[in-house]
Amino acid sequence: MSENNIERISGRATDELRNVSIKAGVIKNADGSALIEFGKNKIMAAVFGPKEVHPKHMMVSDRAIIKCRYHMMPFSTDTRKRPNLSRREIEISKVIREAVQPAIIMENYPRTAIEIYIEILQSDGGSRCAAINAASTALADAGINMRDLVSACAAGKANGQVVLDVDDQEDKTGEADMPIAMLPNMDLITLFQLDGNLSKEEFDQALELAKIGCNKLYNLQKDALSEKYFNENNGKEEE
Amino acid sequence: MKTNSIERKYVIPGDVIIQGDHKPSTNVIKQGNKIISTKIGMAEISYNGVKVIPLNGTYIPRTDDVVIGKVVEMNGFAWEVDINSWFFGILTGSAVFGKQFSSSRDSMRSQFNKGDCLVAKILSFDRTRDPLISISGPGLGKIKEGEIAYITSSKIPRVIGKKGAMIKLIEENTNCHLTIGQNGAILLKGTDDARLKAKSAIELIGNNAHLSDLNDRVISLISK
């Protein structure tokens, strides 16, 4: 059943990501920003802050608070999406906020708010993972103290085999979808969701695959930041 | 390599700078025996410890810093000054009028109005309350002429240069007088042409702060 030669709908290998490109610093008015293209996903993340908290009663005296908004553009889906925040978007906003929160050293910014705005310009499966990657790149670009970058990637089961990076088609027709986010250097998982059924062995295999995917994305995030900040002369200052 | 030599490398958040028994300094955290960067920047490993000189980020006020700001709000007792940070600087009436300050006798508007720019010094700041600022001291006070240029506050040391070498270079070559605010605001005084030149030099430093041949680049830009 789980032969490696079963073709995926997209023609990818079981441990192959979609094409990913990340660019840091795309929005002038934001303190930090990133644009990610994750397969057909096109997602923009902008970070503002640390800044004053509004409304004031939300302020916490010894650390920062994080506000996150995940929003899909009306034209991001096949049929027009109503532009107001849906139940799903509010949930994903919360999930993303909790996924990036462990990476941020919030005690360094008491009485402030860090705002993360995520706009989905075009959506495919796995947009929450792509959004987390963009958000954490934007946070680093904003110069916020972080313990590590947050990388996210999904694994799942489609067509009877465990696969990396489940896309929209596989999500709809497949058996399971498991998005995870992690701090790669610290080996900590900050987001874990599982939709569907997996056996114990399949679960272990999927988790392993997702971690490999996260590490690949981590390298891409790192490249995007290096590209913006150190591009002209890598290593000239060393020695 | 000698023990007192400085080792530098580029880092992003999460990068392990060095392992072993080293003293963590600014913008790093220690986990086990690893020293990890928390910002994008240049890591410096030296005898004094391991630190990261950031390439971005918001200004965090420090006591005794000279800052340049703009009055955004005022009441009978104090002015609120935007100092390019997430807190407003508070300039109290007694810091301007002296200890005898009385809100009924002294007119706040006679000194500063909304929109006025000023050079000030941070008196105290401890993150639990807004920073207090003062204008008593040489070179501090209301700005009457000039233009303000902005740069990321973490790049201010590059504008100053080693023992003020970069400021001197810009001032001598452009005839423009610079007042540097640690919050990333720089006051330029001089003719239109001089200010334009100095501004482009500051912009160049902002875009290339991580490079080592900054002096040569600034010289070639100014002498064009």
Side-chain angles (χ1 to χ4, degrees):
Chain A
M1 192 165 111
S2 60
E3 288 296 318
N4 270 343
N5 52 14
I6 299 174
E7 275 263 316
R8 290 172 75 174
I9 303 166
S10 54
R12 285 181 285 150
T14 51
D15 60 347
E16 196 180 337
L17 288 170
R18 283 169 281 181
N19 286 335
V20 183
S21 77
I22 308 176
K23 200 163 185 285
V26 287
I27 300 170
K28 185 176 148 272
N29 287 338
D31 293 320
S33 57
L35 175 70
I36 186 168
E37 291 184 23
F38 201 117
K40 284 180 200 147
N41 284 308
K42 279 198 177 71
I43 298 171
M44 206 171 249
V47 170
F48 294 82
K51 59 197 276 188
E52 265 191 301
V53 186
H54 286 295
K56 275 240 159 98
H57 68 83
M58 288 176 77
M59 186 165 82
V60 181
S61 58
D62 63 340
R63 62 192 158 83
I65 60 162
I66 297 172
K67 290 180 173 180
C68 180
R69 193 183 82 143
Y70 167 102
H71 179 240
M72 293 175 96
M73 291 280 186
F75 51 80
S76 64
T77 46
D78 293 339
T79 49
R80 180 180 182 272
K81 191 208 149 283
R82 287 170 65 116
N84 47 358
L85 280 190
S86 64
R87 183 202 54 78
R88 176 180 171 274
E89 285 167 298
I90 295 169
E91 181 203 319
I92 294 181
S93 302
K94 174 184 178 288
V95 159
I96 293 174
R97 190 185 73 227
E98 289 175 359
V100 296
Q101 196 162 289
I104 301 172
I105 307 178
M106 307 227 284
E107 297 76 23
N108 283 6
Y109 306 104
R111 305 192 297 134
T112 60
I114 296 166
E115 292 174 357
I116 306 169
Y117 294 96
I118 296 161
E119 290 292 340
I120 314 291
L121 309 177
Q122 185 171 293
S123 79
D124 193 9
S127 66
R128 77 188 64 193
C129 288
I132 291 172
N133 290 318
S136 98
T137 311
L139 281 166
D141 183 34
I144 288 163
N145 277 335
M146 292 167 84
R147 295 181 178 89
D148 199 350
L149 293 178
V150 190
S151 309
C153 186
K157 188 178 165 194
N159 227 342
Q161 58 184 345
V162 176
V163 293
L164 177 66
D165 188 16
V166 179
D167 61 27
D168 201 28
Q169 280 268 307
E170 285 170 331
D171 191 16
K172 279 174 186 149
T173 59
E175 292 93 316
D177 177 21
M178 186 173 87
I180 75 163
M182 62 186 293
L183 313 180
N185 285 316
M186 295 162 80
D187 205 20
L188 292 175
I189 290 178
T190 62
L191 164 76
F192 190 96
Q193 294 184 306
L194 172 55
D195 189 8
N197 291 318
L198 289 174
S199 71
K200 173 87 174 64
E201 291 74 36
E202 285 166 345
F203 171 78
D204 289 341
Q205 210 185 333
L207 184 61
E208 206 49 49
L209 261 184
K211 280 188 175 179
I212 294 170
C214 285
N215 279 311
K216 283 183 186 166
L217 276 154
Y218 173 67
N219 288 327
L220 290 167
Q221 289 173 306
K222 219 171 147 171
D223 290 348
L225 290 169
S226 306
E227 167 92 36
K228 184 185 169 191
Y229 286 96
F230 316 130
N231 62 349
E232 271 192 60
N233 70 328
N234 274 328
K236 214 179 206 177
E237 284 276 358
E238 285 168 22
E239 195 110 12
Chain B
M1 196 167 268
K2 279 181 272 171
T3 46
N4 61 353
S5 66
I6 295 174
E7 211 181 313
R8 289 196 177 105
K9 62 178 175 188
Y10 294 126
V11 288
I12 63 163
D15 277 356
V16 176
I17 301 168
I18 198 165
Q19 296 202 8
D21 193 22
H22 291 271
K23 196 175 128 200
S25 183
T26 49
N27 296 319
V28 293
I29 48 168
K30 198 169 185 179
Q31 257 162 14
N33 67 342
K34 290 177 191 162
I35 295 202
I36 294 169
S37 166
T38 63
K39 271 212 166 108
I40 298 174
M42 209 186 324
E44 260 190 23
I45 304 157
S46 69
Y47 182 71
N48 295 324
V50 183
K51 69 173 176 181
V52 172
I53 303 164
L55 286 173
N56 55 14
T58 323
Y59 170 67
I60 300 172
R62 269 179 321 191
T63 310
D64 284 346
D65 272 1
V66 170
V67 294
I68 295 171
K70 185 177 173 186
V71 178
V72 288
E73 200 62 64
M74 61 187 291
N75 54 39
F77 304 94
W79 294 269
E80 277 183 14
V81 183
D82 180 5
I83 53 167
N84 222 2
S85 180
W86 61 80
F87 299 120
F88 286 129
I90 305 292
L91 180 65
T92 56
S94 52
V96 177
F97 294 103
K99 273 183 187 162
Q100 310 300 319
F101 167 68
S102 145
S103 57
S104 54
R105 194 176 54 236
D106 299 311
S107 161
M108 301 286 282
R109 283 179 203 280
S110 68
Q111 293 295 326
F112 293 106
N113 276 309
K114 259 192 204 178
D116 283 352
C117 290
L118 52 97
V119 184
K121 200 169 81 176
I122 308 258
L123 273 186
S124 69
F125 174 64
D126 60 4
R127 290 185 194 232
T128 57
R129 60 195 84 172
D130 288 344
L132 282 177
I133 59 174
S134 148
I135 52 160
S136 52
L140 308 181
K142 196 185 219 170
I143 297 171
K144 291 187 179 114
E145 51 158 356
E147 186 179 347
I148 297 175
Y150 290 94
I151 188 173
T152 312
S153 64
S154 56
K155 290 170 183 165
I156 285 290
R158 296 308 304 259
V159 182
I160 296 170
K162 272 185 194 142
K163 290 179 184 163
M166 186 65 85
I167 302 188
K168 217 169 150 189
L169 184 104
I170 298 172
E171 285 189 334
E172 279 174 3
N173 286 289
T174 60
N175 283 326
C176 178
H177 181 263
L178 307 186
T179 308
I180 304 228
Q182 294 293 331
N183 59 341
I186 302 165
L187 175 64
L188 313 170
K189 275 184 196 164
T191 59
D192 287 355
D193 196 36
R195 287 206 312 269
L196 209 63
K197 264 189 174 175
K199 217 173 165 181
S200 58
I202 289 163
E203 202 172 305
L204 181 96
I205 296 170
N207 294 332
N208 301 290
H210 61 292
L211 302 182
S212 54
D213 58 345
L214 211 52
N215 265 39
D216 303 339
R217 283 170 187 252
V218 172
I219 291 172
S220 70
L221 177 91
I222 292 173
S223 55
K224 253 181 209 170

